[in-house]
């Protein structure tokens, strides 16, 4: 069965610093992987997705993630944090069993950005 | 193109009452999913519709939850009777076949 582990429920960085949010997955089949972001009082927004094409995936707002099969990781990075990046981030894998594509989420990582 | 919409945005009810949540998917999306996030926990899958049929309802917590999607358009999720542990945020998502799921803003349900 597919599962996702996000390391660190809270991450704090200074404005302008590197953002690194860690995600490891478990999947019995080639995975579809996603990062979603939830800004305060808003819904889930797709940041980026990996669907077996290029291993380095670029998303919106300057974020990118690299799929590393040998490490079963899909860490999210951004070179320079902005105050507006403060939000909760969810790594997710698509479970393609049962004839559907239900999404399995990690527990989420809340990103704080300090001025 | 309008996104996924959910109604209401917030609902506060007392234990034992009934609540119905509604989700309108993106037009043309045959796949509709319900998820729930209970306070402090992961976002969990509840069920999946393909058009009006339930494809997978393995995540429905118990028989107090009833989901419908008459006509394959909008969906409702009814909780009857509501219990304290049902409090949380209920998300709906839709997708075309095998494609990315687009999420709605969620309905925050509080059961007192």
């Amino acid at each position: 069965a597919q599962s996702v582990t996000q390391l660190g429920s809270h991450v704090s960085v200074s404005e302008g610093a590197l953002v690194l949010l860690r995600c490891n997955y478990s999947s019995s089949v080639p995975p579809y992987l996603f990062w979603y972001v939830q800004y305060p009082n808003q819904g889930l927004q797709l940041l980026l997705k990996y669907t077996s094409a290029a291993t380095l995936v670029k998303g919106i707002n300057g974020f990118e993630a690299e799929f590393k099969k040998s490490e079963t990781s899909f860490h999210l990075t951004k070179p320079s944090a902005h105050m507006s990046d403060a939000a909760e981030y969810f790594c997710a894998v698509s479970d393609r069993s049962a004839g559907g594509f239900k999404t399995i989420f990690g527990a989420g990582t809340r990103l704080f950005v300090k001025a | 193109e309008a996104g996924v919409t959910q109604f209401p945005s917030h609902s506060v009810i007392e234990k034992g009452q009934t609540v119905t949540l509604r989700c309108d998917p993106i037009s043309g999306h045959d796949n509709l999913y319900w998820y729930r996030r209970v306070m402090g926990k992961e976002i969990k899958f509840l069920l999946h519709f393909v058009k009006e049929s339930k494809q997978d309802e393995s995540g429905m917590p118990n028989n107090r939850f009833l989901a419908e999607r008459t006509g394959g358009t909008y969906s409702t999720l009814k909780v009857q009777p509501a219990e304290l542990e049902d409090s949380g945020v209920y998300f709906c998502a839709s997708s075309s076949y095998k494609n990315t799921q687009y999420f709605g803003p969620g309905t925050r349900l509080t059961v007192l």
Side-chain angles (χ1 to χ4, degrees):
Chain A
Q2 281 81 356
S3 66
V4 174
T5 302
Q6 290 184 242
L7 300 177
S9 59
H10 297 82
V11 170
S12 181
V13 301
S14 298
E15 192 173 21
L18 171 71
V19 176
L20 170 61
L21 304 183
R22 299 178 186 274
C23 172
N24 289 88
Y25 70 90
S26 171
S27 177
S28 56
V29 299
Y32 289 179
L33 295 162
F34 307 84
W35 276 98
Y36 286 89
V37 60
Q38 185 177 23
Y39 297 103
N41 301 315
Q42 295 187 29
L44 292 168
Q45 181 180 0
L46 180 68
L47 267 181
L48 50 81
K49 63 179 179 181
Y50 167 79
T51 56
S52 75
T55 56
L56 182 62
V57 182
K58 294 187 183 298
I60 62 172
N61 300 338
F63 284 94
E64 62 181 36
E66 186 172 8
F67 172 70
K68 291 187 176 180
K69 184 177 179 180
S70 61
E71 298 177 7
T72 61
S73 69
F74 191 57
H75 301 332
L76 181 71
T77 60
K78 181 175 180 177
S80 177
H82 192 272
M83 297 296 287
S84 61
D85 295 326
E88 191 164 18
Y89 293 79
F90 297 91
C91 182
V93 63
S94 184
D95 182 347
R96 289 172 280 161
S97 62
F101 286 81
K102 67 183 180 184
T103 304
I104 309 299
F105 287 90
T109 297
R110 189 168 295 277
L111 176 66
F112 297 92
V113 182
K114 300 174 291 186
Chain B
E1 177 183 274
V4 177
T5 58
Q6 293 186 244
F7 182 83
S9 56
H10 293 83
S11 180
V12 180
I13 61 172
E14 293 190 352
K15 176 182 173 180
Q17 290 186 321
T18 297
V19 63
T20 300
L21 314 180
R22 173 171 170 145
C23 169
D24 286 77
I26 292 171
S27 178
H29 281 188
D30 287 340
N31 294 277
L32 188 150
Y33 300 80
W34 284 97
Y35 295 85
R36 175 175 76 168
R37 188 182 195 194
V38 172
M39 183 71 72
K41 301 275 184 76
E42 295 95 339
I43 301 170
K44 295 280 196 183
F45 167 82
L46 295 178
L47 87 159
H48 169 211
F49 284 100
V50 178
K51 297 185 179 179
E52 67 274 9
S53 299
K54 292 176 184 175
Q55 178 74 28
D56 180 0
E57 51 184 330
S58 61
M60 294 287 265
N62 51 61
N63 59 10
R64 295 186 293 103
F65 289 75
L66 175 64
E68 295 180 323
R69 193 183 182 194
T70 306
T73 54
Y74 71 91
S75 174
T76 58
L77 179 65
K78 180 190 287 188
V79 185
Q80 179 183 29
E83 298 289 345
L84 298 179
E85 63 265 25
D86 301 332
S87 295
V89 180
Y90 290 77
F91 292 102
C92 174
S94 73
S95 72
S96 55
Y97 183 64
K98 291 187 178 180
N99 282 341
T100 303
Q101 294 178 25
Y102 294 90
F103 282 78
T107 293
R108 182 174 296 278
L109 174 64
T110 302
V111 182
L112 302 176

